Every structure is written in structure tokens, then in C-alpha cells.
Amino acid sequence: MYTVVAAKQLSEAVFRMDILAPEIARKRKAGQFVILKIDEKGERIPLTIVDSDTGRETITIIYQVVGKTTAAMSALKVGDAFQDVQGPLGNPTHIQVFGHVVCVGGGVGVGVIYPITKALKENGNRVTSIIGARTKDLIILEQEMQAASDELVVCTDDGSYGFNGFVSAVLQQIIDRGEKIDHVFAIGPVPMMRVIANLTRPYAIPTTVSLNPIMVDATGMCGACRVEVGGKTKFTCVDGPEFDGHEVNFDLLASRLRMYCEDEKRSYEKHRCGSNGN
Amino acid sequence: METEPKKEKREKIPRQAMPEQAPADRIRNFDEVPRGYSAETATLEAKRCIQCKKPGCIEGCPVDVRIPEFIKLIAEGDFIGAARKLKETNSLPAVCGRVCPQEDQCEKFCILGKKGEPVAIGRLERFAADYERDTNQVVVPEKAKPNGRRIAVVGAGPSGLTIAGDLVKLGYEVTIFEALHKAGGVLVYGIPEFRLPKAIVEAEVDYLRGLGVKIVQNALIGRIKTVDELFEEGYDAVYLAVGAGAPVFMNIPGENLNGIYSANEYLTRSNLMKAYRFPEYDTPIVRGKNVAVIGGGNVAMDSVRTALRLGAENGYIIYRRSETEMPARIEEVHHAKEEGVQFKLLTNPVEYIGDKNGWVTGIRCIRMELGEPDASGRRSPVPVPGSEFVIDVDTVVVAVGTMANPIVPSTTPGLDTNRWGYIVTKGESGETTRKGVYAGGDIVTGSATVILAMGAGRKAAQAIDAYLSGKK
């Protein structure tokens, strides 16, 4: 069992949780993820390890309530436990001295880009970060990102906080200023990553994205998480989760993410009705 | 002249059939198809065994089950004694009795099979193990005193479970590291409930825990820790039994469309995650009306029979050779036919067709004919030009084989693999190119059978014991 030692609501639908997992806490590196399963009847879902504390032997995850499992997770209290936490999984982010790096995070994807940003900064890169959300209340990890970056720009789609507009507009401004960018990391919803990759392609700025396809085992035995990169099929769980954004087939990724839409709705409905009934 | 009448009496007993769920009923549930022998039937069948002085059947068993001895105990009505006899050499008899291809193993060498039908060894093994479990008479046997040596086993499939059982009985402290959240490997994620109930696997795994085997789940070796780190932690030897679990796709156009699964994913969702009980269980699975399974092995049969139970109106097997070449067990092909599976033989997919939402709607196939025998002796299929046609489908399961998963070999320096990624071992001992590291099962041989993986575990246990006994 993997006990929840801290749980906090960050915004309307985004939650942060610290889970006791000593070995994973010791071993994990930026860019890696875990598979969690709440109980016997639960499904296995992948979530990025946002942070770890080897002293407290915990890992931190940040998740958005989008369906049954994440809703059930948000109801877990300190002292409750997950039946299974498997990890660390996936390849760690390739961290090196690139020079000037721009880290772009959208929505709950900021939780995924935060550990990478931190590692890039700690390794001597100059880091400009751009984070965005629909509205002010949905911005997460602003202070942490501030601390991990040389410069941080916060954007909201509705202009309720910071820059009024998409993260891509801020990136375009930086490029237009003629500032040299050696590498871009972009993590967030599929449409956002696609826009950023399309933006940097004509300037030949190397762009790394972290993909979030459907996963089951996450050890390379099933291919549920297969994506197309440079025309070749790759398994995100063992070959990724990070890939060259200029080579990723985002249409296929978006399409495959919709595969269980109906079932997901059904499961969530059943869960909510059950909760209301109590 | 005294033996003569006895012999006559024996031959009067025909091989006892095993009752089964009727096809029309069973395609609506995931319950086990064969129901097993009753005590009376088992006793009758056991009496057919002529107790050979030099039994051929044992030669055919990769884990050396004392076959005539356990069968004699059943014939005498000592069912518990029979179960204990089985467990002296086989830690998973309820599993083996169900999934071993006995026709190619023990029963192939049964002397009665020369003239008539062999003794139903598998069914008797299943009966004894089930009887012991169902009557709550499973006990933990005596084992050797702890010898202070620690063994790490990587992978809790049939090979890893077997070696763990063997070594723990010899006094070793054994820890199995399993990547998934449940132990059993293919027994829990691959073979469906209707062939091997998961409660039985769990009971046999619990028996090993009772013996003192420690199982650490959610531990993917290569990521959480490497083989080198296992030695640093004080393990004296490591056995790699990670299987050949990486799915093979055909790399034809459209293979990543929605609705197209690897057999591993399809079966893992259904078996391990119990998606057939969605939404009671949280994991979903596509319940197609027209489901095609590509391939002709046992995994293909398991997949297509699962599809029928998930409500498919048409379940197709698409196989590029003819029925004679099909690698699946005859019994499984027979079960599939009884259940209404449609066989599209000498047929091969060349492309998947999808709709605007990215879902598969059809398979473009080409007819094949058999050419000259290839190196393996099988006649290779050759496409017939101009014979393409389309089969309408909404779900596809690709069951054309699996290959080695590279995570452990790629994180273990000095561990040699062959060009397909399988671990190279010296002979049958399982000794690898790394000192103290042994390997067995599918990660050495490529996809084979449960019992062969168990046999490899048995031999490696002996080799590890010899290695560590020699080491002061």
C-alpha cells in the first residue's frame, strides 16, 4: 500500500498529492512517471512525478479531475492509500547545457514541465518559462516555476491574469525579438503542443514534447501508448514519454486519446450518481 | 496366467471424458469451459494407468512429475496424497493440468496411446490439485533450514514461480520482483479466465508465499533498480525470467487506427484488469460487433474467444497459412469452432481502412497459397496476385507473436543477447554471460509454453544451487 501523506486542492479541478513511495522517491529523475491504481477494481493511470522528497520518502503528483479515477483520487484523504504505485517509468529527460531554454507549460502540464525546468536550471541553462491556463484560478505552480526560471511569463486565455492570450503568442514574441533560443520544451494539451511545434519548426528550434497517450501496463508489453514519430511507431512508455515535437503525428495522438470517450463518460456518470446517492 | 484377466478388465475402461459447458451457454460468460472430473470419474480414469516399470510419461514432463505414483494414489482414493506427490516436483499443478499441451508432453509417451487413447494425465493432475484446494487441505510442506543465501528472481511468471518454489524448499531466501501489480505473468494477464480461472492462479501463488517466497509487486527491474544493484543489495544470484512480452505488429498501413489492439493489450485489459466486467471494474475495452483476430496460435484463439464473450456477432481468425500449419492446440481450435469462430485461412492483411474519426472499418486482405517448405519445414505462404478483398470489421486484435522486452538486457552490462534480443545461455543450466546471473523461459527461447518455462526454472534452480554450494 502507498499512503497519501499530503493532499491539497490547487485550483478548481487540479489537485496535488504526496504519496509515500520510498524507492521511487530515491530513484526517480525528471521526466519520469508512475502508474497508479487505487484499489482492486481500479484502472491503471499514468501520472508524471512532479517532485520527490527523499527525506520524507514521498513523491508528488499533480492531477486534474477529468473522469472517474481522478475524481475518486480527489476524495482520498491523508492516511488513505493507493493499492499500487509502479515506477519510476519512462526515460528521464535528457538534461544538458543547451544554453537558452524556453519551457512552455499549459494547464496541468505545468506539473509535468516543472521538474524538467528545475533540472535544466540546476544544470546551468538560462531558462525562460511560459505557463498558461484558461483563467487565473487555473494557474498552478507559479511560485515554483518562478524559482526554477530566470524569467517567467504567465498567460491566461481570458486575460484575467498576466499576459492576455496563448503561450504560443509569448513564444512568438521572444522569437520576434531576435532572442536566441537553443531548445524548447513544451508540455500541455495536445493542441498546445502541436501549435508550439508548428511555431518553432520554421526557425529550426529543437523542440521536445512529452506525450500523454492512453497507457495500460507502461512496461512495453501492450502498445496501447503507441504514437507515430517521424513516420515510425513508438511506444511512449519505453521509447518516451519525450519525443522530437517536429516529428510527432499529433492528429493520431488526439484521435487515439478519444478511443474510450463513451466508456469514460459512462464510468464517470456511474461514479457521480453513486456518490450523490450516498 | 494371473495377469491376463486383469489386463482385460483395464482395457474395458475407456478414457474418461470431461464435462464441459455447452457452447451456446459458455459464449455468454467467462466461466471455465471444462468442468473437471468428479471423484468417481477420476478414480476410474486413474485405474487405466498400468503402472509401467519404466514410465515414458515422466520423460515427457519437463518438471519430472512422478506420474504413475500420483495416479496410483488417485486410484486408491487418496486424493490428498496424490496432490502432495504432485507438489513434490510441481508447485503449480492446478495450472499445468489445465494449460499444458499434454498431447506433446507426458501423454504423448503414455504406452496406452500406442493402441488406444493415453491416460488423461493432465485431467488427473488438475483433479488432484483442485480437490486439495477445494477441500481446504493445502498445507505447507517441510523445507530445508535457511542457508543464509539470497536469490533475486526477476518476473513472477511460470518460470520465476517454479524456480522460487524449488530454491525456497532448498533453504534459500527468495525474492521475486514483478513489474505488474499481480504475480503470475501470462497466467494472469494472458490466458483467459475461461481456460484458467484467476482464483486458481492466486491460490497457487499464495501457496508459494506460504512456502516463504517473497513477492515484490510494482517493481520493474531496470527502472526501480538494476541487476547490478540487486547484487549490491546482497543477493547471491539473480534469475531473469522476464518473458517475451513485447508485442509484434505487422507494420502495415493503418495499424494505429482506433479499435486495433495488440493481443497483449486486449487480453491484459480483459484478464488482468477485468474489463469484461466494466463499469464495475474501471478499465474499458472495445466491445466490437465484427472482430478480426490476426494469427493462428493459442493467443489468437484466446483473443477471438474473448471477443465472442464480449458480445461480438462475428469473430474471425485471419491466418496466412492453412489449418494444418496452425500452431494453436487442436483442443483450442476445436473449442473456437464450436463457439462459432469463422476461420479465414490462407488470408493475410495488407492494410487497415479507417473512417474520418480514426476508427478501423475494414481490413484489406490478400489470399495466399502455400509454396515450398521453408527452413523450419513449414510451407511458406505466397500472396496470390490480384486476389485482394475487404473484410468489414470494427475491432482488430493482432496476435502474430511477441518478442523480447529490452528493458532488463539494456540495463545489465555484460549480459549477452542474440540478434533478436533474447538472452544467451550456456546449455540447459540457464547460465548467462554474467557471473551469478541465470535466465530461463521465453526471454531465452522466445515465445514457448508455460511448462517449458517451468522446466527451465527447475533446471536453473539446480544450477544455481550447484553454483552457490561450490562457492564456500
Side-chain angles (χ1 to χ4, degrees), chain B residues 148-196:
Chain B
R149 304 282 194 159
R150 296 170 68 204
I151 314 292
V153 175
V154 184
S159 201
L161 292 172
T162 299
I163 195 172
D166 283 8
L167 288 175
V168 87
K169 279 191 245 175
L170 291 171
Y172 291 89
E173 186 190 321
V174 184
T175 305
I176 305 182
F177 295 90
E178 166 56 44
L180 290 174
H181 61 267
K182 261 202 178 95
V186 74
L187 308 177
V188 290
Y189 77 75
I191 303 174
E193 189 82 14
F194 54 82
R195 279 216 291 138
L196 179 62

Side-chain angles (χ1 to χ4, degrees), chain B residues 295-325:
Chain B
N298 288 318
V299 173
M301 298 307 140
D302 286 345
S303 300
V304 76
R305 296 175 69 201
T306 295
L308 293 177
R309 285 158 175 79
L310 288 170
E313 286 159 13
N314 291 297
Y316 306 108
I317 283 285
I318 297 181
Y319 181 56
R320 62 193 182 134
R321 292 181 158 103
S322 73
E323 188 168 338
T324 330
E325 288 82 20

Side-chain angles (χ1 to χ4, degrees), chain A residues 13 101 127 140 155 192:
Chain A
V101 181
V127 181
I140 57 165
C155 317
M192 184 213 100

Side-chain angles (χ1 to χ4, degrees), chain A residues 2 23-24 27 32 37 40-44 68-69 83-91 214 216-217 219-224 226 228 233 235 237-238 252 255-256 259-260 263 266-267 270, chain B residues 179-182 189 217-218 220 223-226 229 233 245-247 249 251 255-262 264-265 268-269 273 278-286 357-359 405 407:
Chain A
Y2 302 79
E23 284 203 277
I24 304 174
K27 196 75 186 181
Q32 290 187 300
K37 181 167 157 288
E40 190 58 34
K41 294 184 177 178
E43 61 180 337
R44 296 164 63 93
K68 186 204 161 164
T69 297
Q83 192 175 63
D84 298 289
V85 178
Q86 180 198 25
L89 298 165
N91 293 303
I214 290 168
V216 184
D217 65 283
T219 62
M221 63 170 263
C222 87
R226 60 198 195 272
E228 270 172 29
T233 296
F235 289 4
C237 70
V238 290
L252 180 77
S255 164
R256 286 184 62 84
M259 189 157 156
Y260 298 99
D263 284 333
R266 216 173 122 207
S267 180
K270 182 177 166 270
Chain B
L180 290 174
H181 61 267
K182 261 202 178 95
Y189 77 75
Q217 281 137 205
N218 299 314
L220 177 61
R223 297 276 196 222
I224 188 86
K225 58 184 79 172
T226 61
E229 285 166 330
E233 283 179 18
F249 286 96
N251 293 315
E255 211 166 16
N256 293 333
L257 285 165
N258 285 349
I260 303 181
Y261 286 105
S262 73
N264 266 7
E265 180 184 356
T268 298
R269 283 180 181 270
M273 306 310 296
F278 178 89
E280 182 198 348
Y281 283 72
D282 291 339
T283 304
I285 194 165
V286 175
N357 297 319
W359 277 85
N405 184 318
I407 294 179

